Structures are given as C-alpha cells and as structure tokens.
Amino acid sequence: MTIWERPEPKPRAAPVPLSRDKIAATAIRLADAHGLDGLSVRKIAKELGVGPMRLYDYVVNRSELLDLMVDVVYARIARADRRAGWRDTVLDIAHATREAALDHEWFADILGGRPHLGPHALAVGEANAAALAQAPGIDGLDELQRALGALNSFIIGAIRREVTERRTTRDTGDDINAFQSRLGPYLRRMLDTGDYPTVARLVIDGAHLEPAETFAHNLTTVLDGITG
Amino acid sequence: MTIWERPEPKPRAAPVPLSRDKIAATAIRLADAHGLDGLSVRKIAKELGVGPMRLYDYVVNRSELLDLMVDVVYARIARADRRAGWRDTVLDIAHATREAALDHEWFADILGGRPHLGPHALAVGEANAAALAQAPGIDGLDELQRALGALNSFIIGAIRREVTERRTTRDTGDDINAFQSRLGPYLRRMLDTGDYPTVARLVIDGAHLEPAETFAHNLTTVLDGITG
DNA sequence: ATCGCTGCCGTACGGTGTATCCACAAATAC
DNA sequence: GTATTTGTGGATACACCGTACGGCAGCGAT
C-alpha cells in the first residue's frame, strides 16, 4: 500500500502528567462539592482525564488517598497566622482547624476517625502540644497527655457537631436531603408528646447561638478548665 | 396424569417473619463483627434468610437502617443504672455512652456525624439536659445550651479518639490492617527527624494511661469547667 | 372457577475499589 | 536496522454495593 493509500497512524495521546498534589487537589475539590459519599476513585480519575488505575501509582488504596487529602488540610492549618504565647497559639490552632473544616466539611467526617500522621498533621500536633506544655497548670507528661486529650476531644466533637448541624439546616436548592425535610415536623411531634421538656425548651425557646461565638466561648471554658 | 404419577407440588417456603427489632439486632451483630464498612443491606438480608428488598418494607433506605441501629444503642444507654443528683446523672450517662461505644465500635463512627433523634436518643438527651440544667453555675437557657454543647462535644470527641486508638493498636490475628503494620516504623522515623520533639516525648516517654481513668478524669475536668 | 391484589423474590441498573491482562511505545542488545 | 525486552497506560474483569422494578405464586373475594 503506497503512502497515499495508507492512513496516517494516530499518535497515542500524551499521558496526562499526574502528581500527588494534583490528585489531592482534585479529590478535595470533588469532596468539597459532593461530600465523601460522593467521592470515588473513578470520579477523581475522570476529572483528571485518566483511567482510575493511574491513581494507584501514587496511593496504595482509597484510604491513603484520604490521608493525602487530610494532610493538605493540615498544611493550611499549619500556615494560618499564629500569635505568640501558649494560650493564643492553642486558641489560634483550634480556630484555624474549625475554619478549615467549615471550608472542607468532609474533613469533619474524618476527624477523630483515623489517626492523622501526615507531616503537616504532625506539625500542627507538635505546635499544639508544645504550646500546651507551657501552660502553668500543666506539670509533667501525664498531665500534658490528659490535657491534650481533653482539648483535642472537645475540638473534634465541637467541629463535627457544628458541621452536622450546618448540613442538617442547609437548604441546597432542589437537593434537599431526605432527613432535613422530615426533621422539623417529626421533631415537633416528638416534643409535643411532653416527654422531652428540657429538649423542647432548648429547641423552641433557645436562641440560635452564633456558632463562632459558641465555639470560642466553649473552647476557652474547656481550656481554662484543663489548665486552671 | 394420575395422582401417582404427578409430582407433589413443592410448597413455597414460608416467608421469614421480619421485624424492625430483628433487622436492627442482626445489623448490629454484623456491624459489631465487621464494622460499618463491612455492613451492607445484602449481608443483613442474607443473614436473615431473605432477599435484600424485604428490608425496604421496614426502612426507606440504608440511612434509616443506621438510625434504627443507633437508637438501639441509645436504648441500652437509657437503661443503664443512674444515680441521683445532677452531677452523678451527667457522669453516669457519659460513662454509659462510652461503654456502649466500646461494645459497638461502629457507634463511635456515627457519633456527631448525624443528628440522633430516635425516641431513646431523645430520652437520653433529655435526661442529660435536665440534669445539667440543675447545675449551680448554669443560669438560663443560653448557658445550658452552651454547656450542653461543650459537654457533648467533649464526649463525642473523646469516645471517637479512644475507639480509633483502640482499633489502631488492636492485633486481630492475621487480619492486621495495613495501617497498623506501617504505623510503628513510620512514626518512629518521623519522630527521629527531631521536628516533633513534644510529640516524640509524649509517644516515647509518655505512660500508657488507662483509658477509663483518662476519660473519667477529663470528663470531670470539663464538667467542672463548664459548671464552675 | 376466576379475578384481583399483595407480597416476596429475582433481575436489572448504575455504581464501587481494585486485580489483572493486553497492547503498544520505548529502551536495549546485537 | 532488526529483534527482543521492559515499562506504562488503558481496558477488562471480578465481586461487591443500594435500590428500582417486574413477574409470579398464593390468598381472598366473588
């Protein structure tokens, strides 16, 4: 077959360059938009324009992918402005963590559910521990360990609860989740039974407290309690 | 065909009787054994000896199934012995919650991640709120709301962290998860860098504190802080 | 005997994580 | 220049998932 009759061979498409950072950034963008339940290896790969198995050159499995994503969030927490002094350092880290979680709600789903051992996570942990070690009321490693545990427990629980409440109350256009549309009427009926008077007072008469102010207030209360 | 030649018709197997309680109990048993990741509608149905679609007569979706399971755990928390007095009531509920989570680790995965509105969950919440409302330092609904938020946040975070640490350290025979086998050497290498001195001291020199004692100590610290 | 309804099971759809295979390009050896 | 080997990316496959929907057996009413 002469050259004029032979079709020109189609060059193989240049493979899409990938990197750990690129994969993590794409995964985070998708998780921000759709939550962890809506995140999958196949969707990330599609967004990157590659086959799903390409990701397995960079991570062993989906779990490691989550670890990557989490450490990117910690990198942001690590970069946040921080004042001097042990107390302000601890407060600043807590607030930065909360703000990161509000921007990346899926992060709240992971908090406390798996150990965070990425380099940035360790750096944030180190800064937090080093600061708390300087609190006047903390004498010795056992007290530091307990105090850190109490503080981190509060932060994890507070952030999770805030993000959960945020999701429950959010109206996302026509994508109202099944739970939210049933919550109001059902809860009202349950409270009308008279079996939960204190909960009823809280729900019906309780003011809608500003979340940032509540977090700040409770954080200082807990911090003063564990370092007093 | 005479009766002697005609095969006897095989009667349809009697359908397996189902109930909400039976489904929940089976689901809980499977989740206890395999975690939430290993739980599926199909596995529960198989265990019950029915097709998976049968479960959808009792729940709308998998999410409601989880709600059922959670309220069963709250039923147990509600039944736990409780002493008199606001402080002992609050402490007893917290400890009962922790003990339930240690028996049903998947419960810790759910804590704080979705509102708990089953009747038993509401009952436990009511008992907790009513008790805390009687604390001397709690004046008014706003303070009660904040104090409840701080307390519940701590409990959620503490239980999740304890269960996570428990899973991370558990050796389950030949089913050692990938994370645990990599944790020790990796963490040691990271700490050897010298970049995380306080974390290193905590990990290397820190005593292994007894989890129940740590929880109790931190709980009273936080409770005293928010009601002081 | 026939008909309609109900409930259960099976099939199907569109998805999941990840193991494995295959084709092809690039590198290496002769 | 040709043959062989190696590496890489895409495709296929496997075993699973939640849940929609259709078919059919059994039961009750007429």
Side-chain angles (χ1 to χ4, degrees):
Chain A
M1 194 187 277
T2 66
I3 191 171
W4 311 116
E5 294 159 307
R6 194 170 66 245
E8 185 171 359
K10 281 177 159 53
R12 202 180 205 183
V16 172
L18 286 186
S19 70
R20 189 179 280 181
D21 287 342
K22 196 172 178 183
I23 290 171
T26 301
I28 286 169
R29 197 160 55 247
L30 287 173
D32 286 347
H34 306 292
L36 283 187
D37 286 346
L39 184 74
S40 71
V41 170
R42 293 170 192 246
K43 286 172 178 166
I44 299 166
K46 189 170 188 178
E47 186 76 15
L48 288 162
V50 299
M53 297 320 302
R54 284 287 303 280
L55 305 190
Y56 292 91
D57 292 331
Y58 297 82
V59 294
V60 165
N61 51 32
R62 186 177 187 275
S63 178
E64 279 198 351
L65 178 62
L66 296 181
D67 287 339
L68 265 192
M69 292 164 67
V70 161
D71 212 60
V72 168
V73 173
Y74 274 110
R76 159 194 168 145
I77 297 168
R79 282 195 306 275
D81 287 340
R82 217 175 283 165
R83 292 169 291 169
W86 73 266
R87 185 186 174 79
D88 283 339
T89 297
V90 168
L91 295 178
D92 289 347
I93 290 174
H95 285 290
T97 304
R98 175 180 171 268
E99 282 152 25
L102 293 182
D103 288 346
H104 305 289
E105 290 183 348
W106 53 266
F107 180 68
D109 296 335
I110 295 182
L111 269 178
R114 57 193 299 118
H116 295 166
L117 299 173
H120 296 101
L122 285 172
V124 170
E126 169 65 23
N128 209 34
L132 204 58
Q134 292 174 337
I138 302 294
D139 285 314
L141 227 46
D142 283 9
E143 283 192 24
L144 177 58
Q145 210 162 340
R146 283 201 192 92
L148 260 183
L151 178 69
N152 286 336
S153 296
F154 164 76
I155 291 168
I156 288 168
I159 289 175
R160 271 178 71 81
R161 289 179 86 246
E162 185 178 346
V163 169
T164 292
E165 183 172 336
R166 203 192 208 213
R167 280 178 177 146
T168 304
T169 60
R170 185 161 51 214
D171 176 1
T172 51
D174 57 3
D175 187 27
I176 298 174
N177 65 51
F179 178 85
Q180 182 202 349
S181 64
R182 283 183 287 115
L183 173 64
Y186 160 80
L187 190 55
R188 190 166 297 122
R189 285 196 295 276
M190 291 300 275
L191 299 185
D192 281 348
T193 63
D195 289 337
Y196 317 102
T198 317
V199 173
R201 274 171 55 222
L202 286 163
V203 169
I204 294 168
D205 299 324
H208 177 65
L209 303 180
E210 218 282 298
E213 187 274 331
T214 300
F215 181 78
H217 175 272
N218 285 344
L219 174 62
T220 57
T221 300
V222 167
L223 187 56
D224 290 343
I226 64 185
T227 57
Chain B
M1 195 185 276
T2 67
I3 190 172
W4 312 115
E5 296 158 305
R6 193 169 66 243
E8 187 171 357
K10 281 177 161 53
R12 200 182 208 183
V16 172
L18 287 186
S19 70
R20 189 179 281 183
D21 286 343
K22 197 172 177 183
I23 290 171
T26 302
I28 286 168
R29 197 161 54 248
L30 288 173
D32 286 347
H34 306 293
L36 283 188
D37 285 347
L39 184 75
S40 70
V41 170
R42 292 171 190 245
K43 284 173 178 166
I44 298 165
K46 189 170 189 178
E47 187 76 15
L48 289 163
V50 300
M53 297 319 302
R54 285 287 304 277
L55 304 192
Y56 292 92
D57 292 332
Y58 297 83
V59 295
V60 164
N61 52 31
R62 186 178 186 277
S63 179
E64 279 198 351
L65 179 62
L66 295 182
D67 286 340
L68 264 193
M69 291 164 68
V70 161
D71 212 59
V72 169
V73 174
Y74 274 109
R76 160 197 167 143
I77 296 167
R79 280 195 308 273
D81 289 338
R82 218 176 282 168
R83 292 168 290 171
W86 73 265
R87 185 186 174 81
D88 284 338
T89 297
V90 168
L91 295 178
D92 289 345
I93 289 174
H95 285 291
T97 305
R98 174 179 172 269
E99 281 152 26
L102 293 182
D103 288 344
H104 304 290
E105 288 182 350
W106 52 268
F107 180 68
D109 296 335
I110 295 183
L111 268 179
R114 58 193 297 117
H116 297 167
L117 299 174
H120 296 103
L122 286 173
V124 170
E126 168 66 22
N128 210 32
L132 203 57
Q134 292 175 337
I138 301 294
D139 286 314
L141 225 47
D142 283 9
E143 282 193 25
L144 177 58
Q145 209 163 339
R146 283 202 192 91
L148 259 184
L151 178 68
N152 285 337
S153 295
F154 164 76
I155 291 170
I156 287 168
I159 289 174
R160 271 177 71 82
R161 289 178 87 245
E162 185 178 348
V163 167
T164 292
E165 183 171 338
R166 201 192 209 215
R167 281 178 177 145
T168 304
T169 59
R170 184 161 52 214
D171 176 0
T172 51
D174 56 4
D175 187 27
I176 298 174
N177 64 50
F179 178 86
Q180 183 203 351
S181 63
R182 284 185 285 114
L183 173 66
Y186 161 78
L187 190 55
R188 190 166 300 119
R189 286 195 296 274
M190 292 299 275
L191 299 185
D192 281 348
T193 63
D195 290 337
Y196 317 102
T198 317
V199 173
R201 272 170 57 221
L202 285 164
V203 170
I204 295 169
D205 299 324
H208 176 67
L209 303 181
E210 219 281 296
E213 188 274 330
T214 300
F215 181 79
H217 174 272
N218 285 344
L219 173 63
T220 57
T221 300
V222 168
L223 187 57
D224 290 343
I226 65 186
T227 57

